[in-house]
Amino acid sequence: MVFQVDLNSDMGESFGAYTIGCDSDVIKQVTSANIACGWHAGDPQVLDNSIAMAKERGVAIGAHPGYPDLLGFGRRNLNVTQDEEYVYVLYQLGAFFAFAKKHGMEIQHLKAHGAMYNMAGKDIRLAIAICKAVKDFDPQIILLGLAGSKLIEAAKEIGLRSASEVFADRAYEEDGSLVDRAKPGAMVNDEDLCISRVVRMVKEGKVEAITGKDIAVKTDSICVHGDGPQALAFTTRIREALTTKGVRLVNFGSFVE
Amino acid sequence: MVFQVDLNSDMGESFGAYTIGCDSDVIKQVTSANIACGWHAGDPQVLDNSIAMAKERGVAIGAHPGYPDLLGFGRRNLNVTQDEEYVYVLYQLGAFFAFAKKHGMEIQHLKAHGAMYNMAGKDIRLAIAICKAVKDFDPQIILLGLAGSKLIEAAKEIGLRSASEVFADRAYEEDGSLVDRAKPGAMVNDEDLCISRVVRMVKEGKVEAITGKDIAVKTDSICVHGDGPQALAFTTRIREALTTKGVRLVNFGSFVE
Amino acid sequence: MVFQVDLNSDMGESFGAYTIGCDSDVIKQVTSANIACGWHAGDPQVLDNSIAMAKERGVAIGAHPGYPDLLGFGRRNLNVTQDEEYVYVLYQLGAFFAFAKKHGMEIQHLKAHGAMYNMAGKDIRLAIAICKAVKDFDPQIILLGLAGSKLIEAAKEIGLRSASEVFADRAYEEDGSLVDRAKPGAMVNDEDLCISRVVRMVKEGKVEAITGKDIAVKTDSICVHGDGPQALAFTTRIREALTTKGVRLVNFGSFVE
Amino acid sequence: MVFQVDLNSDMGESFGAYTIGCDSDVIKQVTSANIACGWHAGDPQVLDNSIAMAKERGVAIGAHPGYPDLLGFGRRNLNVTQDEEYVYVLYQLGAFFAFAKKHGMEIQHLKAHGAMYNMAGKDIRLAIAICKAVKDFDPQIILLGLAGSKLIEAAKEIGLRSASEVFADRAYEEDGSLVDRAKPGAMVNDEDLCISRVVRMVKEGKVEAITGKDIAVKTDSICVHGDGPQALAFTTRIREALTTKGVRLVNFGSFVE
């Protein structure tokens, strides 16, 4: 049996004179890049450069839209309507497309950012709005969302392909949702444990929930971070562990159905 | 011989809770609509509604990008680089495309707004940046620009079709440029004179410059305004005069080469 | 016994090329003006002009800060921290102060706008942040908030004077809160009833809750609207009814303790 | 004879999730800090923290307003009117004041940022607008501007104290203006030469212009940069050279008249 998984990371979140993230290092680690579209972060020049960088490294690209809250980096819940959610995603997806087209790149996926991701993960109406915007624009684009969340459910309902992502350093509830960060035990701090959990999620499709019970978790992609040397080193360890265990690292566009 | 001309107007410049312009009236008068893309004015919902409105009335649509200066409505010169100009246009054009696609509408043209229009009209480097962004995105899109300006020159250089627009109420210098608004005589205040000038520009391709000398002026489209009852009434008069003189009012996408 | 009450309205919410509200009419009706500070609405020139207008009519002024959400006009809940709330209010209050100082006007009050008002009305931590910002800046400024809300509670806790406002056209729950707009009966649509309720609130300090039970409601100010001819006519009726019943209309800065 | 000079640097230009500059190092080097006010850079929390940091180190503070162009970091010329310039400065100065007041700090000065600084340095109308805003707000605030520029001229005309600043690494024209960066020789690249020039400007009030001729240059403050290790090391060298030559480093508020 062949095991394969994608590694995705957020990129292109610099803005004007401001630089954030270690994009030129991260791009060497991942198979899919989520690139900011200029609302919660990013700007047209950053967008242009980020897609060029992904193309050069053979990394698949996805639009990474967020809320119009640059001051909060799109991380703060904003009480938008379903219609607003739809047009916000469509607008950013179109802008992203223009740069992908310029570089002759296909859009593999769309992944909502921050509060947009979290809110839609729990609210089917917002999740539907996102999926509908994607499908109306191009039904070949894959929705990347939290495994087991409303985003994945909405993609199925709308008739859009989806890729389920997992987190190496987060604990899971029995229902497959992430343990709230405010709760004790929400973060898995032991790196060795993180890595063995990731390998098991990929090879067995299972993870031990915070209650101790094993649960199923669909694992098309692992979300990794590139915001510093520690994050990059951890990603390197994940890559090595997976490769050693015979897992092929490849963008999910090549295998999700 | 068949005479035909387009009437174009800016639209879709409302923003959030703010309404500006009389779009539902203007859309009945024009054959081409320049729709704001969310930077100098407009927002994703307004963009969506404006394209829907144009589609319903059979009016051709164009992207109307501007500078990132909502506070100044994109009317203030901003000292951007050629690269910035290029990506600003590409970004807004992509966003515009997403909504055109949703409504199954073709993008007929792109017309820069305010300071972006004025600056590029005189600066070939900025004009080239705009035309290059349009061509890279879709070489079928027509550039709408001031007759005789650098915008039209750049379109030719880049290999993009262009449409030349004239103004009914503005005086012209001998070189075909508009008389600076700060100069006496810059505005033609007599409505009857405006109308006879417009008819002549369309039928003869000539206008009397401020010096008294006749000059040639290419007239594919007439720019009209919809920001109040007076502007709407004046547009009605222009339409009637042209029709009476046997001029067919039709979007320029059907005749420019 | 002397009866007196204030009439307050939001103003100064135009932005750049965009005009909203009928400020020059409203200013003739009210005794206190809440003037936007450039975040959810308003801009420095509008702020300047609005304070000048209030000064000319002898209307007391207050800062009207909101969330950094121009696209949503500050009406959408934004999940800010207590620290963010504090600095957002302090920043806008300082900007407001500069223009008040220019015109030689005292700042009578501060009233939070839209989502900031609604959220703090129910969340004591946000209400405390607002009141603390006001007190740190100038302890003479009065907090204007919904009668019976957390805003009024926070002002007392912080040691700030407060003014309680009521709404003519809204139904009340037994606990003094406004009936949620989504519920039937939330709005009082009969104008005569609205007016008799207002007069009673001012003269008796009582209103009939949606359950039919009479409840106490502190009434220092009545919030009125100026967003159209109908709103203006209704305010005129309220003014006339109050005056006829011997109620003096005066800004609350002259009587709250 | 006593020689004294101020060292000033821009600070507080981080924004939301974005960090820029090495403020905690720079604050140890300078005697005056120019702190961004949230338009071209900075945000209310950064403003709060920056003033706290300056207070802790005993560094004098000044408002550092800029154009509403976060994307361009306030570095791009924007064609504002004199009235716009005035209200933009007044607004930002008021916001700055609120945080200075919170920390019990006096505002020593105001220095315009980037394009606002450059444009007003050459345009007396814009310079007057800035100085008028400062004087209307608080006539005790000192204007910090380029030595010999229109900013200093305007301060005199308005009746505002001013401090003249020089640059260690820039060449000067015979008229005292900075050599345009586009011209050869605009930058003085030899660090030893920079330092000897600075010492001479402070002690003799003279500098050799690019033409070879000695010119007078008023030197109340030296502008230094804190955007990296190299800039910080250079500032350390300047400090040491000045101290060794018997020059006292002290904020200009203590000596300008």
Side-chain angles (χ1 to χ4, degrees), chain D residues 95-112:
Chain D
F96 182 81
F97 167 75
F99 290 90
K101 190 165 195 281
K102 180 199 162 189
H103 291 286
M105 292 279 281
E106 296 288 320
I107 302 179
Q108 174 189 249
H109 69 283
L110 180 140
K111 175 180 169 180

Side-chain angles (χ1 to χ4, degrees), chain C residues 130-149:
Chain C
I130 294 172
C131 292
K132 208 168 164 323
V134 173
K135 195 175 180 200
D136 285 354
F137 188 73
D138 179 356
Q140 293 308 311
I141 295 173
I142 299 165
L143 185 89
L144 176 56
L146 178 66
S149 72

Side-chain angles (χ1 to χ4, degrees), chain C residues 174 208-214:
Chain C
E174 270 194 23
E208 188 183 304
I210 197 166
T211 57
K213 188 182 166 186
D214 268 3

Side-chain angles (χ1 to χ4, degrees), chain C residues 115-168:
Chain C
M116 187 186 268
Y117 178 91
N118 293 331
M119 291 173 74
K122 290 171 187 167
D123 181 340
I124 189 71
R125 295 182 73 251
L126 295 176
I128 288 284
I130 294 172
C131 292
K132 208 168 164 323
V134 173
K135 195 175 180 200
D136 285 354
F137 188 73
D138 179 356
Q140 293 308 311
I141 295 173
I142 299 165
L143 185 89
L144 176 56
L146 178 66
S149 72
K150 296 293 179 192
L151 281 160
I152 303 299
E153 186 182 324
K156 279 187 189 121
E157 192 174 323
I158 290 291
L160 204 64
R161 285 183 299 160
S162 66
S164 294
E165 74 171 348
V166 300
F167 292 84

Side-chain angles (χ1 to χ4, degrees), chain B:
Chain B
M1 185 171 176
V2 178
F3 293 106
Q4 54 196 359
V5 77
D6 172 89
L7 293 181
N8 83 79
S9 187
D10 297 349
M11 281 182 47
E13 293 183 323
S14 294
F15 177 84
Y18 298 102
T19 300
I20 207 167
C22 309
D23 289 3
S24 56
D25 294 315
V26 173
I27 200 70
K28 298 176 191 163
Q29 304 256 25
V30 296
T31 48
S32 294
N34 319 308
I35 299 173
C37 300
W39 278 36
H40 77 279
D43 70 38
Q45 287 187 310
V46 169
L47 187 44
D48 195 17
N49 296 336
S50 299
I51 294 179
M53 199 187 281
K55 185 181 182 183
E56 196 191 324
R57 302 286 314 186
V59 171
I61 58 170
H64 192 48
Y67 285 136
D69 177 25
L70 185 64
L71 181 52
F73 206 65
R75 288 175 177 153
R76 304 186 292 197
N77 285 8
L78 181 71
N79 190 26
V80 300
T81 66
Q82 195 181 26
D83 285 351
E84 287 168 341
E85 187 93 344
Y86 173 87
V87 294
Y88 289 1
V89 171
L90 187 58
Y91 184 96
Q92 294 179 68
L93 182 50
F96 182 81
F97 168 74
F99 290 89
K101 189 165 195 285
K102 179 197 162 189
H103 291 285
M105 293 278 282
E106 295 289 320
I107 302 179
Q108 174 189 247
H109 69 284
L110 180 139
K111 175 180 170 181
H113 170 82
M116 187 186 267
Y117 177 92
N118 293 331
M119 291 173 73
K122 291 170 185 166
D123 180 341
I124 189 69
R125 294 181 73 252
L126 295 176
I128 288 284
I130 294 173
C131 292
K132 208 169 164 321
V134 173
K135 194 176 182 200
D136 286 353
F137 189 74
D138 179 357
Q140 294 308 311
I141 295 173
I142 300 165
L143 186 88
L144 175 56
L146 179 66
S149 72
K150 297 292 178 192
L151 280 160
I152 303 300
E153 185 182 325
K156 279 187 190 122
E157 192 174 323
I158 289 292
L160 203 64
R161 285 183 300 161
S162 66
S164 294
E165 73 172 349
V166 301
F167 292 84
D169 57 354
R170 296 292 298 274
Y172 284 84
E173 300 283 0
E174 271 195 23
D175 66 357
S177 66
L178 297 175
V179 174
D180 191 291
R181 280 175 191 268
K183 286 191 192 172
M187 304 303 297
V188 181
N189 294 314
D190 179 334
E191 278 203 6
D192 290 334
L193 180 57
C194 287
I195 284 167
S196 64
R197 283 164 65 91
V198 163
V199 171
R200 189 172 179 230
M201 285 193 269
V202 174
K203 299 195 73 164
E204 300 179 29
K206 285 183 187 169
V207 71
E208 187 183 305
I210 198 166
T211 58
K213 187 182 165 185
D214 268 3
I215 60 170
V217 58
K218 192 161 189 296
T219 310
D220 299 316
S221 185
I222 302 159
C223 182
V224 297
H225 302 289
D227 48 345
Q230 207 175 348
L232 288 163
F234 182 45
T235 300
T236 302
R237 287 199 61 196
I238 293 175
R239 288 175 57 90
E240 287 170 356
L242 288 167
T243 309
T244 303
K245 298 288 183 180
V247 179
R248 193 173 148 241
L249 303 179
V250 62
N251 63 297
F252 58 74
S254 64
F255 62 81
V256 301
E257 287 158 17

Side-chain angles (χ1 to χ4, degrees), chain D residues 140-213:
Chain D
Q140 293 308 311
I141 296 173
I142 300 165
L143 185 89
L144 176 56
L146 179 65
S149 72
K150 296 293 179 193
L151 280 161
I152 304 299
E153 186 181 325
K156 280 189 189 119
E157 192 173 324
I158 289 292
L160 203 64
R161 285 184 299 161
S162 65
S164 294
E165 72 170 350
V166 300
F167 292 84
D169 57 355
R170 296 292 298 274
Y172 284 84
E173 300 284 359
E174 271 194 22
D175 67 358
S177 67
L178 297 174
V179 174
D180 192 292
R181 279 174 192 269
K183 286 194 192 170
M187 304 304 295
V188 180
N189 295 315
D190 180 334
E191 278 203 7
D192 291 334
L193 180 56
C194 287
I195 286 167
S196 63
R197 283 165 64 92
V198 163
V199 171
R200 190 175 177 226
M201 285 194 268
V202 175
K203 298 195 74 166
E204 301 181 26
K206 285 184 185 166
V207 71
E208 189 183 304
I210 197 166
T211 58
K213 187 182 166 186

